[in-house]
Amino acid sequence: MANMFVVLGIQYAITDRTTGVVLAILIIVRNGIFLWYAKKGKKPSLPVLLGTIGVLLVIPVLTWQDVFSIFGPAATIAITWGTWQNKMSRTRKSVLFGKICMVVFNLASGMFTAAIGSFIEVVAAIIAIIKKDVLKQE
Amino acid sequence: MRIIRIVKTEVMVVVTAVADWFKSLTSKAKLTALLLAVLTLISASVALFIDSFIGVQMLGIIAIALGVIMIFQTKEGC
């Protein structure tokens, strides 16, 4: 999964989107930490979550370019919280919100194929919500 | 000094995770990962030296391919 964010990080660097580059690095670190906890059979502690969200709140302020700088960190905060808590229905909804933000963020950065990728994830999240939360199918 | 130690530990966690992931791959998947890495380098070179727009879109396609591979690797999606 880290590979995908390395590629996205390179794209953000080429399109001069500093927020995106910092986000990509932070997401790789976050995934590593979450994976480390998962391998131990534990959930990341609240200070770890709050620390990650705190850093994500500081990023748009330090790397402010335009109003679209908010969308990337907002998406990452939503997905971080969604993967941290236990209810899968909340995870699906936060992923949907996060991916919609990523579509906007990628389009604003001129990364059209990456935006298509995020749009595919939006569709996947909508299908998952309809199938598992609305229709209650397994 | 404590911050350096924490950062060092976190970097080691990421490096170990990547190494474990690469070791867990089958030879076919390792080949795919290397191929995608080469394609990423080509796309980044296109972006830097030829046309940034085309290079960026090529990288986007690689990101989609990685996303698809990821879905097939994990047993359950979102």
Side-chain angles (χ1 to χ4, degrees):
Chain A
M1 191 158 170
N3 290 348
M4 204 171 104
F5 292 104
V6 170
V7 174
L8 281 173
I10 298 168
Q11 280 179 287
Y12 288 125
I14 294 165
T15 51
D16 288 332
R17 182 62 74 173
T18 324
T19 316
V21 179
V22 181
L23 268 184
I25 296 166
L26 189 73
I27 289 169
I28 293 168
V29 175
R30 180 205 66 188
N31 288 353
I33 295 167
F34 275 42
L35 186 72
W36 184 71
Y37 274 100
K39 277 190 175 174
K40 281 189 159 187
K42 284 183 194 170
K43 189 173 133 177
S45 59
L46 194 63
V48 172
L49 177 80
L50 292 177
T52 314
I53 290 176
V55 174
L56 286 164
L57 286 171
V58 172
I59 287 173
V61 180
L62 293 178
T63 60
W64 183 267
Q65 284 170 305
D66 50 37
V67 74
F68 296 107
S69 299
I70 299 169
F71 283 87
T76 318
I77 289 171
I79 295 168
T80 304
W81 177 79
T83 46
W84 175 79
Q85 56 77 50
N86 294 324
K87 274 196 167 184
M88 279 305 280
S89 62
R90 283 183 193 162
T91 308
R92 285 188 278 271
K93 279 164 198 158
S94 59
V95 167
L96 175 64
F97 172 77
K99 293 301 171 184
I100 291 170
C101 287
M102 283 315 285
V103 172
V104 178
F105 187 63
N106 289 340
L107 282 175
S109 311
M111 293 159 45
F112 301 109
T113 42
I116 293 168
S118 299
F119 182 73
I120 292 168
E121 288 169 320
V122 168
V123 174
I126 291 170
I127 291 169
I129 288 170
I130 292 171
K131 206 176 159 187
K132 295 190 175 173
D133 297 332
V134 180
L135 300 174
K136 309 271 180 201
Q137 284 178 4
E138 277 307 309
Chain B
M1 285 302 111
R2 198 162 171 239
I3 291 170
I4 293 168
R5 240 183 296 144
I6 293 167
V7 170
K8 207 174 153 187
T9 315
E10 290 199 351
V11 169
M12 280 313 291
V13 165
V14 175
V15 170
T16 316
V18 172
D20 286 348
W21 167 77
F22 199 74
K23 274 182 207 162
S24 70
L25 294 176
T26 59
S27 56
K28 207 173 172 183
K30 270 180 191 157
L31 198 70
T32 315
L34 286 172
L35 183 74
L36 282 165
V38 172
L39 283 172
T40 306
L41 280 174
I42 293 169
S43 306
S45 307
V46 169
L48 289 172
F49 303 114
I50 301 168
D51 190 309
S52 67
F53 182 81
I54 295 169
V56 164
Q57 307 318 324
M58 279 166 75
L59 282 165
I61 293 165
I62 294 167
I64 293 173
L66 284 166
V68 172
I69 290 169
M70 201 179 79
I71 290 166
F72 282 106
Q73 272 182 349
T74 51
K75 286 189 177 72
E76 53 183 88
C78 71

